[in-house]
Amino acid sequence: MDRNVLEHDLRELLDQARMQDYCPNGLQLEGRPQIRRVLTGVTASKGLIDLAIELDADAVLVHHGLMWKGDPQVVTGFRKARLQAALGHDLNVFAYHLPLDKHPELGNNAQLGKMLGWPSDRVLGDKGLIHFGVLHSPQKLHEIVEVVVSTLGHRVQVEGADDPQRLVRTVAWCTGGAPGYVEQAALAGADLYLTGELSEPAVHVARECGVSLLGAGHHATERCGVKALGEWVAQRYGIEVVFQDLFVAV
């Protein structure tokens, strides 16, 4: 399919123009004009780019792209290696960060809630990234942790209100590196807030607000969105899409 058509359709699907972000979303690196095979993954790492070359893919589609605001304005070291490999293969690199987090069906937060069986009753925060729901029946904290570990295949760090027998009725979550949202989750009435990675200030806030704070892994919580987006591309356009999880334990 035509690269420009795919770029346009993904921009519209993810409502890209409406989301303020700290990286460029969309086509970050232009490659060959026709796309027949796409490799999806969480991050545009050298490992993923090398695999795309090995598979003779025409594009990679990721959540964490090649470029971020505040990066050095020089191309050296690992940045040079990534770009050199992608350019040498004439590879397209598509990246969608917050627009993919936010999408109500394919987004990381929507998909994670679906995987865990958590109802998403409403979204919170200025960007609408925090999902909030009331469980169908209260569950003990240790039972929820066991489900998260089993679902994501990743250890879970529990802070704040950490009594394993504690009953949890309301849950809030935001994938990736969003520990700072714990206060908003608490103010909304959440018993538990789950994100990818934790921070020292967030742990204190959780303790003082009486919220169970779960860190389930940045990468582990953000595999589902790009995988779902790739499946959407494959179904819509009939092209080959391969998902590769280059798992990292963070």
Side-chain angles (χ1 to χ4, degrees):
M1 70 167 304
D2 184 272
R3 175 195 63 232
N4 295 333
V5 172
L6 179 59
E7 180 188 14
H8 171 272
D9 291 355
L10 289 176
R11 183 192 309 125
E12 295 300 306
L13 172 71
L14 298 174
D15 204 10
Q16 178 181 323
R18 285 180 172 269
M19 179 60 76
Q20 293 284 331
D21 210 338
Y22 40 95
C23 63
N25 288 291
L27 182 64
Q28 288 193 341
L29 186 65
E30 182 180 291
R32 60 194 69 169
Q34 292 298 314
I35 296 175
R36 54 189 175 76
R37 180 177 297 132
V38 178
L39 177 65
T40 63
V42 176
T43 298
S45 63
K46 180 64 160 49
L48 193 74
I49 292 169
D50 287 344
L51 182 58
I53 295 169
E54 181 182 330
L55 296 175
D56 195 24
D58 306 293
V60 295
L61 173 62
V62 298
H63 181 49
H64 301 139
L66 294 167
M67 301 151 191
W68 300 88
K69 291 179 183 177
D71 277 354
Q73 296 183 22
V74 293
V75 181
T76 59
F78 73 89
R79 293 181 181 86
K80 176 194 173 184
R82 291 176 178 181
L83 285 169
Q84 189 171 48
L87 288 166
H89 188 64
D90 204 15
L91 187 69
N92 294 284
V93 177
F94 294 89
Y96 299 93
H97 187 233
L98 295 184
L100 183 57
D101 286 326
K102 185 175 181 178
H103 193 273
E105 295 177 9
L106 303 176
N108 282 316
N109 290 306
Q111 287 289 314
L112 181 61
K114 184 178 179 181
M115 290 169 63
L116 295 174
W118 291 357
S120 181
D121 300 327
R122 56 193 170 109
V123 294
L124 312 170
D126 57 342
K127 290 185 169 64
L129 294 173
I130 310 167
H131 283 231
F132 183 97
V134 180
L135 299 178
H136 299 303
S137 60
Q139 298 177 31
K140 293 180 179 179
L141 176 59
H142 79 87
E143 295 172 336
I144 291 178
V145 171
E146 288 167 5
V147 169
V148 174
V149 169
S150 174
T151 301
L152 299 182
H154 190 274
R155 66 178 180 83
V156 174
Q157 183 179 354
V158 182
E159 299 289 349
D162 59 359
D163 179 358
Q165 300 301 315
R166 180 176 193 250
L167 282 179
V168 173
R169 296 175 176 82
T170 52
V171 293
W173 67 97
C174 185
T175 64
Y181 286 151
V182 64
E183 181 179 4
Q184 292 184 59
L187 290 173
D191 298 320
L192 177 148
Y193 174 66
L194 180 149
T195 187
E197 58 188 63
L198 305 186
S199 67
E200 196 263 0
V203 171
H204 289 295
V205 172
R207 289 174 180 171
E208 293 164 32
C209 291
V211 175
S212 297
L213 175 62
L214 273 56
H218 192 135
H219 179 100
T221 58
E222 296 203 315
R223 290 175 290 192
C224 46
V226 74
K227 186 174 187 292
L229 182 60
E231 291 168 354
W232 181 91
V233 169
Q235 183 176 12
R236 182 176 178 87
Y237 303 108
I239 61 176
E240 183 181 0
V241 178
V242 179
F243 173 75
Q244 181 64 46
D245 181 18
L246 299 183
F247 184 76
V248 289
V250 295

